[in-house]
Amino acid sequence: MVVDALSEPNSYRNLCHEHSDGAPMPSAEALRDIVELVRSIIFPGYYGKSSINTATLKYHIGVGVERLYSLLTEQILAGLSFADYCDTAAYAAYNQQTVQTELNRMARDRAGRFIEQLPEIRRVLATDVVAAYNGDPAAKSFGEIISCYPIIKELTIYRMAHELWLLDVPLLPRMLTEMAHSETGIDIHPGATIGEYFTIDHGTGVVIGETCIIGRNVKLYQGVTLGAKSFPLDAEGNPIKGIPRHPVLEDDVIVYSNASILGRITIGRGATIGGNIWVTQDVPAGASITQKR
Amino acid sequence: MVVDALSEPNSYRNLCHEHSDGAPMPSAEALRDIVELVRSIIFPGYYGKSSINTATLKYHIGVGVERLYSLLTEQILAGLSFADYCDTAAYAAYNQQTVQTELNRMARDRAGRFIEQLPEIRRVLATDVVAAYNGDPAAKSFGEIISCYPIIKELTIYRMAHELWLLDVPLLPRMLTEMAHSETGIDIHPGATIGEYFTIDHGTGVVIGETCIIGRNVKLYQGVTLGAKSFPLDAEGNPIKGIPRHPVLEDDVIVYSNASILGRITIGRGATIGGNIWVTQDVPAGASITQKR
Amino acid sequence: MVVDALSEPNSYRNLCHEHSDGAPMPSAEALRDIVELVRSIIFPGYYGKSSINTATLKYHIGVGVERLYSLLTEQILAGLSFADYCDTAAYAAYNQQTVQTELNRMARDRAGRFIEQLPEIRRVLATDVVAAYNGDPAAKSFGEIISCYPIIKELTIYRMAHELWLLDVPLLPRMLTEMAHSETGIDIHPGATIGEYFTIDHGTGVVIGETCIIGRNVKLYQGVTLGAKSFPLDAEGNPIKGIPRHPVLEDDVIVYSNASILGRITIGRGATIGGNIWVTQDVPAGASITQKR
Amino acid sequence: MVVDALSEPNSYRNLCHEHSDGAPMPSAEALRDIVELVRSIIFPGYYGKSSINTATLKYHIGVGVERLYSLLTEQILAGLSFADYCDTAAYAAYNQQTVQTELNRMARDRAGRFIEQLPEIRRVLATDVVAAYNGDPAAKSFGEIISCYPIIKELTIYRMAHELWLLDVPLLPRMLTEMAHSETGIDIHPGATIGEYFTIDHGTGVVIGETCIIGRNVKLYQGVTLGAKSFPLDAEGNPIKGIPRHPVLEDDVIVYSNASILGRITIGRGATIGGNIWVTQDVPAGASITQKR
Amino acid sequence: MVVDALSEPNSYRNLCHEHSDGAPMPSAEALRDIVELVRSIIFPGYYGKSSINTATLKYHIGVGVERLYSLLTEQILAGLSFADYCDTAAYAAYNQQTVQTELNRMARDRAGRFIEQLPEIRRVLATDVVAAYNGDPAAKSFGEIISCYPIIKELTIYRMAHELWLLDVPLLPRMLTEMAHSETGIDIHPGATIGEYFTIDHGTGVVIGETCIIGRNVKLYQGVTLGAKSFPLDAEGNPIKGIPRHPVLEDDVIVYSNASILGRITIGRGATIGGNIWVTQDVPAGASITQKR
Amino acid sequence: MVVDALSEPNSYRNLCHEHSDGAPMPSAEALRDIVELVRSIIFPGYYGKSSINTATLKYHIGVGVERLYSLLTEQILAGLSFADYCDTAAYAAYNQQTVQTELNRMARDRAGRFIEQLPEIRRVLATDVVAAYNGDPAAKSFGEIISCYPIIKELTIYRMAHELWLLDVPLLPRMLTEMAHSETGIDIHPGATIGEYFTIDHGTGVVIGETCIIGRNVKLYQGVTLGAKSFPLDAEGNPIKGIPRHPVLEDDVIVYSNASILGRITIGRGATIGGNIWVTQDVPAGASITQKR
């Protein structure tokens, strides 16, 4: 019978996640709540259900930050337990009780440090709003950018996820950026480094790889890939993880739609890359390259 | 402390939307309900939870139209208040009471005029269903097109949003098309003008800019960009808003996947544009251009 | 008045779906529940709300399979009734009572046969997880692949939908793959045939047509099209349905981002297709072709 | 282990309801929806979420009646299947297929006949509203009675349930009146017969038994019992079902709080029964009896 | 047909509430939210979903008060519009625009004045908690009283409703106390006046009429009625509204279960009324009366 | 300002529950889920959303028991933390870390012991179903009793709550019985001891006190009080907690509606107590007492 077949341990080896006590999987639903909370704190009045005015804004932010701390602690704990579960060796020396206590402490600590970064995240997102506004003649106001533009939805999530990445939180950064990928069609790896005043127009199909480094005031169009060209294999033929393999874009670079920039190359300050082309070598500062016709 | 930092007015300048009394932000959730209602009115029996038959169809449409009028009035009012808030100069001569009364009147008026357009919107969408059916050998029935095909989901929203755009409703048209963009990966600006019997196959990555003009019986494939080539800056270096800067596609044009057509150029009647190419100059009627290999 | 205009039968001809008694439209919401159930059965502990351990896993799978059978029977019945409604000729010889009884029997039978395929679907998806892990140096664990990667979300749905397609279930396979298309930007037709160890990196914009045949261990990148080049028309100028018109990819083929492979051509075993190019002719086994610059 | 003990058939004999295919239990949730629908049809504008005006009232009633028919058919079918399940002998001569078809026909028939009674139910409830208004000096308007008074909530449900009882629908009438009992503390058996212009003040603790017959213009206060005094047992010592055993109250009777009237006695026209007393014998018309002090 | 019969204006005369523009019925659901909000403000940490500590309590109360003001204004406006609708004469001199503006102003004003009473409501409820604790040997802690005891749920709603009654808000006070009646079986009219340190044990079946006056430190048991004995009719035979017709209970009175105290009589300070008796005459201070056996 | 007044610590002394880390209040919503789960385990097929048959019943019970264990552990922990918070002295010797670990262990232990009692709870409830059926000539089947009768809803909760009471779980038993009290109007204290084959007809207004002891085969009617007559005060004038002060009813006793039996008296085996009377002294076995008229 099918239930027996599906319950046969060999059939679900590697596909099943057993939960240790009190350690559920990170929850996509909780992460969605977290994103909503961060949006309501960063852009008060644009997100969140309540009406806001300057007299009561502090109450709303106070409640939001408390709830964010609590939700985030829970999810970071789930992420840490998940990683712990996947990599039991790392904790082999400790007994379960000690591990649980230590993971709890780590989760609270990282949630607290994330929250301390919120003012800086807001400051940088404010520059991204300016970049999106300046880059689109169809934009009518900052308010329209904040409430409609996919790039702001994407960057709010990416900049959150990148902070969590820097805090060495497992799984959550990736789950967050995949949520943004699904919503906007823009796939930015949480490990990528991206400067201020960044924008992407339209965005669908953009890919930005894990080891990319992007300067200030860079603009991309839809369909652009900042990817790896190939990746070295180790002795057993498996890809070696963690090697810098994606491009560096210096300040003031523009890349037009559907261009693919591949490998650890550098696009120099102020360069312009035309649409639908394939770039696998360094481009000097100020250069402009386009598709041959 | 972080709550103080985040409540510091300088830190949220331009990022916060204070609500005047009784004037909330337009709500993404309400817009989703509005789209569902319009779908259930345009395509009775395909959308909406109730079962339908010819004897009771009029009751359903009667209830749907009443609810649509009420929801839409509310959202248009929110949009008008939002625009009012962003552009306080426009209403400087009036006192707040007068403004509120006037905005209410405008919202009811525009909602009413939108609803009068529903029969015409349905008529045009019926031609789009035919175009999608004829354009896809995999399609089995009109019913399958209406219930599954992303292009019909996209065009229902775009054609609604375009009417609201023509009625000068702020913010809502853009929020609507970004909802469709997120769902289908097709980004049509609500300002674009698109004729009957229009279709896009697969659709992901398509971009159609604000000032595009598209004739009858045009077909696009996934990844096509109808974009701006560049845009003139004003004296302060800001992009000048509202200039015609996107292509004109005459009747019966076909554009294959990932082609980019840029700038205020004209693709003549019956022309065919091949895939993965970059077009920045007029193409004569009946011509066929393809990628060089 | 607008309600009258919208209730005028001529205005909704072909756009309205009348429900026969007890035969609602297939429901997108129910299909979402079905996908969640299948995910929780295939990848226990990663999906589904409950916590799992080996002692209770069988109870969860038992309950899940029973609920899946019930939901699926209902949706298959809706799909069969829908097709019946669209194609009344097929059942003309029978009275309504007989038809309803027969459709019920067919729905239960097909739901049962689908469920018998679940162990095989899980076996093949396990190979896809391995392929995704091996293909991405940024991947940290199988668990990360299963819980985050869009390709696994896509393939779980595609492989379900393909089974339903093989069981000749109307409408549902297409509704399912369009749900996946909306979530991931990857558009795989449920009729396509795809071997084990298949993966797509990033994925946005990929299109795989109805009559594609893909071997084992094939890898695609974002923006790849496996499409039709053109399609023959019948005497009335309508496209002829069901003709093989999409490519065959043999084992071990790699296709880089934004390449378009069109028409019933064969890409030979182990061939590599470079990014952003347009392929309309056979490529021999082991060959490597790239964009001219 | 506890799961084994609880799954042991002897342990759940008589406590378990096995569902035959397609025949779920009647659903408390669905009955709540049905009550809400009936309230919105009987008292348009007071119940139901939509706003109403005379121009659109007919659309709302049309949609409400259609949905009511569909929900009610489903629940009546569940009730019939439940009774069938409890009393398998009754259908022993038929095969399962025939039974299912017949139950379906019966369910549709009874739902239709119930709906035909709605105008009469509304007419009688209108007299109850008048009685409640006249009986309470604290009442300010008919609107207040309709929207707040527990007796109207109770009687709307009782009068529905009584119609279903007369239509011989199993289980549902009793489930409905117990819902009302829980909400208002008034326990009226659906089999009781109650005339026009009936009211109960406050109501908590009132009990009206299955075979009561109540005339026009009767008023009760809280805590009144119209109960059985004792009931004859059959040869095996089980109570004999269905014997008239509750009081008859003729027109214009008033019963004050906490009085208990027990057995098949008659309280004559216009009699007044004082509070906190115990009545087990006929009371002549016009009499007034009170507690001895 | 039944839809026609039910849409016939004569059939719904007095039973239908037409909504004027922007003036829905008061909503039971919104009132439930309002009660939850008030509970979370009065008893922080016992009600409301968030966790609380002294550092963040002020944020929670700030957000709660703002939301309460907004919800309450909306519901008071609905109540005022409802009363206006029922009593059109009162506003005959004004045009619709003026009325709407004035009702808005009144709603905001009364919501604001209600909120100013919250500290006093909390102060009095704190005395009720003490009375419930002292009166029940089974009570273990104040926390148990606040989170479980029906009398505290009842009094929180009654004391809110009474404030709204004093502010002359139509309909809402009565809807609120009927919500409490349904939840606890205790029916306190919002017009009754009740002093500090009040408690009712168990409570089911208690009735306290509109013109009751209850002193400090009074205790009732379940089933007690403080009702009217009879009420004078006017010339047309209708009950005269608003006459004092319920008892006065002075300080320190105890009334045991199921006693009925009826009419405008006075139960003197410190008197004790035994269970199951019927009192229709003044009882002197300090007296103790019981049922004759 | 009101927010300041409400945030003033003196104003919420004793009314506020500060949550220690990870220790929320017991949740009424979670308790409702727990009751639903227990109902679906005790009466499979009557409660719970799924359809059931003998082949799959064990899966459902397995999943139900696992979920019950998890929910119950959480709520018991919340109850223990609450009691701990109220009575800090009890844990003064331990540090916070140790306390938390110990409370977790206690919660898991008690949840496990509760679950072991489920087969016995089911066995006793089966006798209560028989008693309700035999006691009501209007009852048509065991199925009707299980799905409609308030006494079974009440006793399922009371018998659960009593087990938790015996396991010394704080707060939860009382919250559970107050939920049942609100639903049925029957107020049974979780500390009462009640034998097999117990039933109450109609039930509204029944009160059964903390120290009652009720034998086998006892039947009560609506409005019966089994209460305390008075309670001794300690030196400070506070009621002394925990003294036996409620009646003992031996086997086979019947008590008719609205009778009040008060104090630690004994009603002997087989005695009958008439309605609306006040009993404060022992009643010998087999006696029958009624109201004097």
Side-chain angles (χ1 to χ4, degrees), chain A residues 41-46 49-54 57-58 61-62 65 115-116 118-119 122 126 133-140 142-144 146-150 182-183 202 204 219 222 256-258 275-276 291 293, chain B residues 2-8 11-12 14-19 25 29 82 86 165 171 174-175 178 181-182 185 187 189 204-205 207 210 223 225 229 231 238-242 245 258 260 276-279 289 291-292:
Chain A
I41 291 168
I42 301 279
F43 302 115
Y46 285 106
K49 292 204 167 171
S50 354
S51 57
I52 287 276
N53 59 57
T54 43
L57 186 134
K58 193 172 181 177
I61 289 181
V65 164
I115 282 171
E116 278 164 24
L118 283 174
R122 187 198 266 168
Y133 180 78
N134 287 343
D136 183 3
K140 295 216 162 50
F142 280 12
E144 190 190 11
I146 293 171
S147 52
C148 303
Y149 275 51
S182 175
E183 188 179 1
H202 309 297
T204 311
K219 180 175 186 183
Q222 69 273 20
Y256 285 99
S257 57
N258 299 320
N276 285 42
Q291 190 185 31
R293 288 212 52 202
Chain B
V2 112
V3 175
D4 295 314
L6 290 164
S7 307
E8 218 288 304
S11 91
Y12 59 77
N14 288 331
L15 303 181
C16 173
H17 178 52
E18 277 192 68
H19 303 267
M25 274 295 286
E29 206 177 324
F82 176 82
C86 292
W165 176 271
L171 205 59
R174 200 56 204 267
M175 287 180 78
E178 285 300 347
H181 182 192
S182 175
D187 181 2
H189 195 285
T204 312
V207 171
E210 179 186 7
T225 296
K229 194 173 166 189
F231 36 85
N238 295 321
I240 303 177
K241 312 255 158 178
R245 60 199 183 278
N258 299 320
S260 298
N276 286 45
I277 63 174
W278 190 257
V279 182
I289 63 172
Q291 191 184 33
K292 304 296 188 307

Side-chain angles (χ1 to χ4, degrees), chain E residues 58 122 137 139 183 202 204 222, chain F residues 4 11 181-182 187 225 241:
Chain E
K58 193 173 181 176
R122 187 198 266 165
E183 189 179 0
H202 309 298
T204 310
Q222 69 274 16
Chain F
D4 294 316
S11 90
H181 182 191
S182 175
D187 181 3
T225 296
K241 311 254 161 180

Side-chain angles (χ1 to χ4, degrees), chain F residues 29 60-61 92 107 139 153 186 195 197 206 250 252 254 278 283 285 288:
Chain F
E29 205 177 325
H60 286 279
I61 288 180
K153 300 195 181 191
I186 302 171
Y197 292 94
V206 167
E250 296 182 348
D252 306 318
I254 300 183
W278 189 257
V283 172
S288 175

Side-chain angles (χ1 to χ4, degrees), chain B residues 218-266:
Chain B
V218 167
K219 179 175 188 181
L220 311 182
Y221 282 84
Q222 69 273 19
V224 165
T225 296
L226 307 180
K229 194 173 166 189
S230 66
F231 36 85
L233 307 182
D234 66 14
E236 282 96 52
N238 295 321
I240 303 177
K241 312 255 158 178
I243 292 178
R245 60 199 183 278
H246 301 101
V248 176
L249 273 63
E250 295 183 350
D251 297 352
D252 306 319
V253 164
I254 298 182
V255 186
Y256 285 99
S257 56
N258 299 320
S260 298
I261 305 179
L262 304 172
R264 189 57 170 208
I265 61 176
T266 297

Side-chain angles (χ1 to χ4, degrees), chain D residues 90-106:
Chain D
Y91 291 91
Y94 304 96
N95 64 35
Q96 182 59 32
Q97 179 72 25
T98 315
V99 168
Q100 201 58 38
T101 304
E102 174 60 9
L103 293 182
N104 266 291
R105 197 198 53 71
M106 287 164 70

Side-chain angles (χ1 to χ4, degrees), chain C residues 51-100:
Chain C
S51 57
I52 288 275
N53 59 59
T54 43
T56 61
L57 186 133
K58 192 173 182 177
Y59 299 146
H60 287 279
I61 288 180
V63 167
V65 164
E66 176 169 340
R67 184 145 177 266
L68 178 59
Y69 175 73
S70 149
L71 276 178
L72 199 54
T73 300
E74 210 171 72
Q75 291 305 304
I76 292 177
L77 177 60
L80 291 167
S81 304
F82 176 81
D84 176 30
Y85 169 84
C86 292
D87 174 14
T88 51
Y91 292 90
Y94 304 97
N95 64 37
Q96 184 57 32
Q97 180 70 27
T98 316
V99 166
Q100 202 58 38

